[in-house]
Amino acid sequence: MVSTSNANASASQKRIEPPLQLQATMEPVWVRVILIVLALAFVTLFLFVPLVAVFSEALRKGWETYLTAIQEPDALSAIKLTLISAAIAVPLNLVFGVAAAWAIAKFEFRGKNVLLTLIDLPFSVSPVISGLIYVLLFGAQGWFGEWLRAHDIKILFAVPGIVLATIFVTFPFVARELIPLMQAQGSEEEEAALVLGASGWKTFWHVTLPNIKWGLLYGVILCNARAMGEFGAVSVVSGHIRGETNTMPLQVEILYNEYNFTAAFAVASLLTLLALVTLALKTIVEWKTDESRQRIPQE
């Protein structure tokens, strides 16, 4: 009798639990409708309306004017410099990010917390402040100013300064994406590979890299997007020399301040297209990354 009553009690409990869970996790229909409407209104106001405004202003005077604005020498120089800065900064941050994530996730050593703090530093320091730091170091009155001038080495108001500023503001992205991923995966597979006689390079290439490839690509995409869109730090160290040290964001500012709105929005539309492509790639990689994380065995 006791067992029968217990079985009936458990059966009734099972019948009661799902409705209770649904009531605890689902809001009334009117609440859900209001939240969805508010979310759609927010996305429309702060995302779609600016996108439409950028492209409508860029194409207001027709395709011919649009293409002329993009092909203008100063605009081409800005596009070229932006691509050069990203082409240098992203691979360097890729190498640093993988090395830092490997060291932090796989090893214990003194100064580990200090390294983590340094990686997060660009997130907490204003880009303008980081640009001013480079002015303090490499400016004419800076710590290394006299030595650089004596050896005819130009860093500020030239490509090297822009690249250095871009590297500083973008170097956390790859490392910060890989560190939690590597920590979640653990080091058992690498240890097994080493026991079986694999070298460190083979272990990384054939064991670690396949497990982190989507997270690595995700970090590279974010790093590249920030490198091409950086304004604050680059603005401080560039000098705003037209046709020489202006990147695309700086070129947009100059054209807008000169009331050349069509050309400004034409260049801005290229950055907008970059943002849309980055968003699409980011979504795809996020989906792949979530799949790879779900395949990690749960302890």
Side-chain angles (χ1 to χ4, degrees):
M1 293 295 292
V2 175
S3 61
T4 303
S5 61
N6 291 337
N8 293 333
S10 62
S12 62
Q13 185 178 5
K14 290 180 180 178
R15 288 194 298 270
I16 293 173
E17 281 182 356
L20 291 177
Q21 291 176 357
L22 289 177
Q23 292 176 8
T25 57
M26 293 185 64
E27 297 290 346
V29 175
W30 64 271
V31 174
R32 283 178 280 165
V33 170
I34 291 176
L35 292 176
I36 292 173
V37 170
L38 289 176
L40 291 176
F42 185 88
V43 170
T44 301
L45 181 62
F46 291 99
L47 180 62
F48 292 114
V49 172
L51 286 177
V52 173
V54 168
F55 287 103
S56 62
E57 288 291 334
L59 298 172
R60 174 184 290 183
K61 297 183 180 179
W63 279 100
E64 185 176 350
T65 304
Y66 177 83
L67 294 176
T68 301
I70 293 176
Q71 295 172 357
E72 196 263 340
D74 289 345
L76 291 177
S77 175
I79 294 171
K80 180 181 177 181
L81 181 57
T82 302
L83 295 176
I84 290 174
S85 300
I88 297 174
V90 173
L92 291 177
N93 284 321
L94 170 63
V95 175
F96 168 79
V98 173
W102 175 278
I104 292 171
K106 305 297 182 180
F107 303 98
E108 293 294 333
F109 55 91
R110 290 185 178 180
K112 184 175 180 178
N113 291 331
V114 176
L115 179 57
L116 281 169
T117 302
L118 292 176
I119 290 174
D120 290 335
L121 187 62
F123 288 145
S124 57
V125 175
S126 169
V128 175
I129 300 302
S130 65
L132 290 175
I133 292 173
Y134 284 112
V135 173
L136 178 63
L137 291 175
F138 306 119
Q141 307 300 323
W143 293 357
F144 305 109
E146 292 185 5
W147 185 87
L148 292 172
R149 187 167 56 251
H151 292 80
D152 196 23
I153 299 175
K154 198 171 184 181
I155 293 181
L156 290 184
F157 312 140
V159 175
I162 295 173
V163 172
L164 287 174
T166 304
I167 291 173
F168 178 82
V169 298
T170 57
F171 81 80
F173 288 96
V174 176
R176 263 302 167 192
E177 179 60 28
L178 291 182
I179 289 171
L181 181 59
M182 286 186 173
Q183 288 176 335
Q185 290 172 348
S187 58
E188 291 80 6
E189 294 184 11
E190 286 82 359
E191 292 173 356
L194 293 174
V195 169
L196 293 174
S199 63
W201 172 249
K202 286 186 177 180
T203 300
F204 172 77
W205 187 257
H206 296 287
V207 177
T208 304
L209 187 59
N211 291 332
I212 65 170
K213 60 182 179 181
W214 292 113
L216 181 62
L217 182 58
Y218 181 77
V220 168
I221 290 172
L222 293 181
C223 180
N224 182 70
R226 179 63 187 276
M228 290 191 175
E230 173 56 30
F231 178 84
V234 171
S235 177
V236 174
V237 301
S238 71
H240 293 269
I241 304 174
R242 301 190 66 156
E244 295 185 21
T245 62
N246 280 333
T247 58
M248 292 171 66
L250 301 184
Q251 182 69 10
V252 171
E253 181 197 30
I254 289 176
L255 292 172
Y256 191 85
N257 289 337
E258 293 177 349
Y259 301 100
N260 192 353
F261 299 127
T262 301
F265 280 103
V267 178
S269 68
L270 296 180
L271 289 173
T272 304
L273 288 174
L274 170 66
L276 293 175
V277 171
T278 301
L279 182 62
L281 292 175
K282 177 176 171 287
T283 303
I284 295 172
V285 173
E286 275 182 342
W287 174 58
K288 292 290 187 179
T289 304
D290 290 339
E291 281 190 345
S292 64
R293 284 174 176 171
Q294 290 173 3
R295 288 195 294 267
I296 297 174
Q298 300 294 326
E299 296 183 355

